Amino acid sequence: MINLVLILPIIFCIFMFFIKNKTLNNILITLYSIAHVLLGVLYFLNPNIIGNNEYFSLNSSNIIFYLILSIVFLAVSLYNNSYSKNLEFDNKKMMHYSTMLLVFVLSMTGGVLSNNLGLAWIFIEATTLASAYLIYFNKTKHSIEAAWKYVFICSIGIALAFVGIILLTIATGNLNSLNYSDLINNGAKFNHFWLNASFVFILFGLGTKMGLAPVHFWLPDAHAQAPSPISALLSATLLNCAFLVIYNVYKVMISANCIAYAKILLLIMGFLSLFVTSVFLYHTSNYKRMLAYSSIENVGILAICLSLGGVAYVGMFLHLIGHSFIKAAYFLTSGNILELYETKKIKSIRLLSSVDKKTAWLWIFSFLGICAFPPSVVFISEFLAIKAFIMQQHYFLCGLFLFLLTIILYAMAKVVFKMVFDNTSSSRVDRARENVQKLGFSMYFPQVLLLLMAFILGIYIPKFLDIAIITAVIG
């Protein structure tokens, strides 16, 4: 089954290359997303039929990351069915878009399923190459600039991560293996100096892909310029893939008893990410950039939870799920707004509640979810992070954490409610009313589904997911 999920997109890309048809593209993307979800379902029904091997496996460490990728990809594929119909491009260009979308998802899938640090590095590099074209897809001045910045910065980050892997091989001595289980089981034998040095390079290198400050500079531009379905994948799944590799290396640090050093680095980058978001949110005039900075905030929270450990570990996995589902819904809804108003400027979006009530409510609920209003699952994750701060007597850091989150909440609320309810006249409102007909059912339903899951998980966590989280935490 694992081999099938990795091979299927390649077969579909070949079909798309020879049969350049927009409808066929959408069908194949949807079929692959369904197959992707089925693999995760089969894992919970019977893990033995998955077909794990030396290089790829689905296990307690990566199953949550895989499920997030599968569900978000399914939602994006459904949204893409209507979204792509509004793109006025020929079949050849749409074939390029669809094939690179499949290659992008394939790269992330390989990164999540990889048992080997070196192999995961290769797939993370592949995500850069695949998504660069998707960011550049609209071929505007700003999209070209964003794509070049993305490739340049992320390539440097990947190179730094590669140096970190080389240093890790020095630290391992005669082990001659980059398999995660081998590294974790033999961590006590590693050279601490070289291991600490390798963690710095890997954290900063893959932190670039994850969007952690101060190596986040590509993220606001890329998320703002990419097509909305791609922005959803970049924020809700790509960042998670990089975080999974960091998380696995962090477990090696735990086994080697170098945890204090790693915790400090994660804590610094986590709080720096919150600070950067709180500052730049007040100066952004583009609502997609606003969502991008929100992603920087949330990956910062993930880094903080990983650093704190204890109950914050549970919070980390809940936050991973909540942020991915809600931010994907948020970016997809931003695609609706762009279709309606044909602009990304915040000042031009007025009376959204009057123009399209469904999009307006999706916009509001996405805001409430990502800003941790109950019953959003993000509320529980941030509550557990605060509890961990108090239990470990980090009172100042707890206060700083709450202060920065409050600033971010206010900055986003001001923008969201002005876009939805402000009745100031705008030249684009009449045009937006005419464009409502462009929005099909599948440009609303995926967001509803994602938000429902995020809010339901804030009230009730299914037993299979509860077991998966506890197993991942213990492991």
Side-chain angles (χ1 to χ4, degrees), residues 136-156:
Y136 164 69
F137 178 71
N138 289 318
K139 294 187 178 181
T140 64
K141 175 184 174 182
H142 295 296
S143 66
I144 292 171
E145 179 184 348
W148 275 111
K149 183 184 289 188
Y150 172 64
V151 171
F152 180 72
I153 294 175
C154 288
S155 295
I156 293 174

mmCIF file of all heavy atoms in Angstrom, residues 136-156:
data_model
loop_
_atom_site.group_PDB
_atom_site.id
_atom_site.type_symbol
_atom_site.label_atom_id
_atom_site.label_comp_id
_atom_site.label_asym_id
_atom_site.label_seq_id
_atom_site.Cartn_x
_atom_site.Cartn_y
_atom_site.Cartn_z
ATOM 1 N N TYR A 136 5.016 30.329 -8.606
ATOM 2 C CA TYR A 136 5.255 31.160 -9.789
ATOM 3 C C TYR A 136 4.110 31.077 -10.799
ATOM 4 O O TYR A 136 4.052 31.854 -11.756
ATOM 5 C CB TYR A 136 6.577 30.696 -10.423
ATOM 6 C CG TYR A 136 6.841 31.156 -11.837
ATOM 7 C CD1 TYR A 136 7.110 32.497 -12.118
ATOM 8 C CD2 TYR A 136 6.842 30.250 -12.893
ATOM 9 C CE1 TYR A 136 7.376 32.907 -13.415
ATOM 10 C CE2 TYR A 136 7.107 30.657 -14.189
ATOM 11 C CZ TYR A 136 7.359 31.990 -14.438
ATOM 12 O OH TYR A 136 7.614 32.396 -15.718
ATOM 13 N N PHE A 137 3.144 30.225 -10.561
ATOM 14 C CA PHE A 137 2.146 29.825 -11.549
ATOM 15 C C PHE A 137 1.452 30.999 -12.250
ATOM 16 O O PHE A 137 1.252 30.991 -13.460
ATOM 17 C CB PHE A 137 1.095 28.925 -10.885
ATOM 18 C CG PHE A 137 -0.006 28.491 -11.798
ATOM 19 C CD1 PHE A 137 0.226 27.571 -12.815
ATOM 20 C CD2 PHE A 137 -1.291 29.008 -11.657
ATOM 21 C CE1 PHE A 137 -0.794 27.173 -13.661
ATOM 22 C CE2 PHE A 137 -2.315 28.609 -12.506
ATOM 23 C CZ PHE A 137 -2.056 27.695 -13.513
ATOM 24 N N ASN A 138 1.073 32.040 -11.501
ATOM 25 C CA ASN A 138 0.347 33.165 -12.102
ATOM 26 C C ASN A 138 1.237 34.073 -12.953
ATOM 27 O O ASN A 138 0.736 34.926 -13.690
ATOM 28 C CB ASN A 138 -0.343 33.991 -11.014
ATOM 29 C CG ASN A 138 -1.508 33.244 -10.402
ATOM 30 O OD1 ASN A 138 -2.294 32.605 -11.095
ATOM 31 N ND2 ASN A 138 -1.610 33.287 -9.069
ATOM 32 N N LYS A 139 2.556 33.924 -12.823
ATOM 33 C CA LYS A 139 3.540 34.633 -13.647
ATOM 34 C C LYS A 139 3.377 36.158 -13.614
ATOM 35 O O LYS A 139 3.496 36.830 -14.635
ATOM 36 C CB LYS A 139 3.473 34.128 -15.090
ATOM 37 C CG LYS A 139 3.898 32.674 -15.244
ATOM 38 C CD LYS A 139 3.987 32.238 -16.687
ATOM 39 C CE LYS A 139 4.458 30.792 -16.781
ATOM 40 N NZ LYS A 139 4.572 30.324 -18.171
ATOM 41 N N THR A 140 3.104 36.679 -12.438
ATOM 42 C CA THR A 140 3.111 38.123 -12.243
ATOM 43 C C THR A 140 4.480 38.546 -11.723
ATOM 44 O O THR A 140 5.311 37.698 -11.370
ATOM 45 C CB THR A 140 2.036 38.542 -11.235
ATOM 46 O OG1 THR A 140 2.343 37.962 -9.947
ATOM 47 C CG2 THR A 140 0.657 38.073 -11.670
ATOM 48 N N LYS A 141 4.700 39.835 -11.683
ATOM 49 C CA LYS A 141 5.974 40.349 -11.174
ATOM 50 C C LYS A 141 6.217 39.882 -9.739
ATOM 51 O O LYS A 141 7.321 39.456 -9.384
ATOM 52 C CB LYS A 141 5.960 41.874 -11.241
ATOM 53 C CG LYS A 141 7.188 42.536 -10.632
ATOM 54 C CD LYS A 141 7.051 44.050 -10.650
ATOM 55 C CE LYS A 141 8.221 44.697 -9.914
ATOM 56 N NZ LYS A 141 8.083 46.183 -9.869
ATOM 57 N N HIS A 142 5.175 39.958 -8.930
ATOM 58 C CA HIS A 142 5.321 39.596 -7.513
ATOM 59 C C HIS A 142 5.471 38.084 -7.326
ATOM 60 O O HIS A 142 6.199 37.634 -6.432
ATOM 61 C CB HIS A 142 4.114 40.098 -6.718
ATOM 62 C CG HIS A 142 4.005 41.589 -6.679
ATOM 63 N ND1 HIS A 142 4.951 42.393 -6.076
ATOM 64 C CD2 HIS A 142 3.064 42.432 -7.189
ATOM 65 C CE1 HIS A 142 4.603 43.663 -6.195
ATOM 66 N NE2 HIS A 142 3.459 43.719 -6.868
ATOM 67 N N SER A 143 4.789 37.279 -8.141
ATOM 68 C CA SER A 143 4.905 35.821 -7.999
ATOM 69 C C SER A 143 6.296 35.332 -8.407
ATOM 70 O O SER A 143 6.833 34.410 -7.791
ATOM 71 C CB SER A 143 3.820 35.120 -8.818
ATOM 72 O OG SER A 143 3.999 35.321 -10.200
ATOM 73 N N ILE A 144 6.866 35.944 -9.435
ATOM 74 C CA ILE A 144 8.228 35.579 -9.850
ATOM 75 C C ILE A 144 9.221 35.921 -8.736
ATOM 76 O O ILE A 144 10.099 35.125 -8.392
ATOM 77 C CB ILE A 144 8.604 36.300 -11.157
ATOM 78 C CG1 ILE A 144 7.759 35.775 -12.315
ATOM 79 C CG2 ILE A 144 10.092 36.117 -11.472
ATOM 80 C CD1 ILE A 144 7.907 36.566 -13.595
ATOM 81 N N GLU A 145 9.053 37.103 -8.152
ATOM 82 C CA GLU A 145 9.931 37.519 -7.049
ATOM 83 C C GLU A 145 9.791 36.574 -5.856
ATOM 84 O O GLU A 145 10.793 36.171 -5.246
ATOM 85 C CB GLU A 145 9.575 38.946 -6.634
ATOM 86 C CG GLU A 145 10.409 39.488 -5.486
ATOM 87 C CD GLU A 145 9.962 40.866 -5.034
ATOM 88 O OE1 GLU A 145 9.153 41.494 -5.745
ATOM 89 O OE2 GLU A 145 10.404 41.309 -3.960
ATOM 90 N N ALA A 146 8.537 36.202 -5.520
ATOM 91 C CA ALA A 146 8.292 35.305 -4.398
ATOM 92 C C ALA A 146 8.894 33.926 -4.643
ATOM 93 O O ALA A 146 9.478 33.311 -3.732
ATOM 94 C CB ALA A 146 6.792 35.175 -4.148
ATOM 95 N N ALA A 147 8.781 33.424 -5.888
ATOM 96 C CA ALA A 147 9.324 32.100 -6.215
ATOM 97 C C ALA A 147 10.842 32.090 -6.112
ATOM 98 O O ALA A 147 11.434 31.148 -5.569
ATOM 99 C CB ALA A 147 8.886 31.695 -7.620
ATOM 100 N N TRP A 148 11.488 33.141 -6.627
ATOM 101 C CA TRP A 148 12.947 33.211 -6.547
ATOM 102 C C TRP A 148 13.419 33.316 -5.094
ATOM 103 O O TRP A 148 14.398 32.685 -4.699
ATOM 104 C CB TRP A 148 13.480 34.387 -7.357
ATOM 105 C CG TRP A 148 13.678 34.082 -8.803
ATOM 106 C CD1 TRP A 148 12.977 34.567 -9.866
ATOM 107 C CD2 TRP A 148 14.654 33.168 -9.347
ATOM 108 N NE1 TRP A 148 13.435 34.024 -11.037
ATOM 109 C CE2 TRP A 148 14.467 33.160 -10.757
ATOM 110 C CE3 TRP A 148 15.637 32.355 -8.802
ATOM 111 C CZ2 TRP A 148 15.247 32.384 -11.606
ATOM 112 C CZ3 TRP A 148 16.422 31.578 -9.645
ATOM 113 C CH2 TRP A 148 16.214 31.599 -11.025
ATOM 114 N N LYS A 149 12.721 34.128 -4.314
ATOM 115 C CA LYS A 149 13.082 34.258 -2.894
ATOM 116 C C LYS A 149 12.914 32.920 -2.181
ATOM 117 O O LYS A 149 13.762 32.520 -1.365
ATOM 118 C CB LYS A 149 12.206 35.326 -2.234
ATOM 119 C CG LYS A 149 12.565 35.590 -0.774
ATOM 120 C CD LYS A 149 11.610 36.594 -0.143
ATOM 121 C CE LYS A 149 11.819 37.982 -0.682
ATOM 122 N NZ LYS A 149 11.020 38.980 0.064
ATOM 123 N N TYR A 150 11.829 32.223 -2.497
ATOM 124 C CA TYR A 150 11.552 30.908 -1.899
ATOM 125 C C TYR A 150 12.649 29.905 -2.235
ATOM 126 O O TYR A 150 13.191 29.233 -1.351
ATOM 127 C CB TYR A 150 10.194 30.427 -2.411
ATOM 128 C CG TYR A 150 9.838 29.003 -2.049
ATOM 129 C CD1 TYR A 150 9.670 28.620 -0.726
ATOM 130 C CD2 TYR A 150 9.649 28.045 -3.042
ATOM 131 C CE1 TYR A 150 9.320 27.323 -0.399
ATOM 132 C CE2 TYR A 150 9.288 26.748 -2.723
ATOM 133 C CZ TYR A 150 9.130 26.391 -1.408
ATOM 134 O OH TYR A 150 8.797 25.105 -1.085
ATOM 135 N N VAL A 151 13.001 29.819 -3.518
ATOM 136 C CA VAL A 151 14.029 28.869 -3.942
ATOM 137 C C VAL A 151 15.375 29.219 -3.324
ATOM 138 O O VAL A 151 16.097 28.336 -2.819
ATOM 139 C CB VAL A 151 14.133 28.838 -5.484
ATOM 140 C CG1 VAL A 151 15.349 28.025 -5.925
ATOM 141 C CG2 VAL A 151 12.867 28.249 -6.089
ATOM 142 N N PHE A 152 15.720 30.502 -3.329
ATOM 143 C CA PHE A 152 17.027 30.933 -2.830
ATOM 144 C C PHE A 152 17.175 30.661 -1.331
ATOM 145 O O PHE A 152 18.141 30.027 -0.892
ATOM 146 C CB PHE A 152 17.212 32.425 -3.122
ATOM 147 C CG PHE A 152 18.523 32.975 -2.649
ATOM 148 C CD1 PHE A 152 19.706 32.661 -3.299
ATOM 149 C CD2 PHE A 152 18.584 33.809 -1.541
ATOM 150 C CE1 PHE A 152 20.920 33.154 -2.866
ATOM 151 C CE2 PHE A 152 19.791 34.318 -1.083
ATOM 152 C CZ PHE A 152 20.967 33.997 -1.750
ATOM 153 N N ILE A 153 16.191 31.120 -0.555
ATOM 154 C CA ILE A 153 16.291 30.987 0.902
ATOM 155 C C ILE A 153 16.187 29.522 1.334
ATOM 156 O O ILE A 153 16.955 29.051 2.179
ATOM 157 C CB ILE A 153 15.219 31.845 1.590
ATOM 158 C CG1 ILE A 153 15.483 33.326 1.337
ATOM 159 C CG2 ILE A 153 15.185 31.572 3.096
ATOM 160 C CD1 ILE A 153 14.412 34.255 1.882
ATOM 161 N N CYS A 154 15.219 28.796 0.746
ATOM 162 C CA CYS A 154 15.040 27.398 1.140
ATOM 163 C C CYS A 154 16.202 26.527 0.692
ATOM 164 O O CYS A 154 16.547 25.554 1.371
ATOM 165 C CB CYS A 154 13.716 26.861 0.591
ATOM 166 S SG CYS A 154 12.271 27.522 1.432
ATOM 167 N N SER A 155 16.826 26.856 -0.433
ATOM 168 C CA SER A 155 18.004 26.092 -0.877
ATOM 169 C C SER A 155 19.162 26.270 0.100
ATOM 170 O O SER A 155 19.888 25.315 0.397
ATOM 171 C CB SER A 155 18.421 26.533 -2.282
ATOM 172 O OG SER A 155 17.423 26.208 -3.225
ATOM 173 N N ILE A 156 19.321 27.489 0.590
ATOM 174 C CA ILE A 156 20.350 27.725 1.616
ATOM 175 C C ILE A 156 20.017 26.925 2.871
ATOM 176 O O ILE A 156 20.894 26.294 3.485
ATOM 177 C CB ILE A 156 20.460 29.225 1.937
ATOM 178 C CG1 ILE A 156 21.006 29.992 0.731
ATOM 179 C CG2 ILE A 156 21.351 29.455 3.165
ATOM 180 C CD1 ILE A 156 21.021 31.489 0.899
#
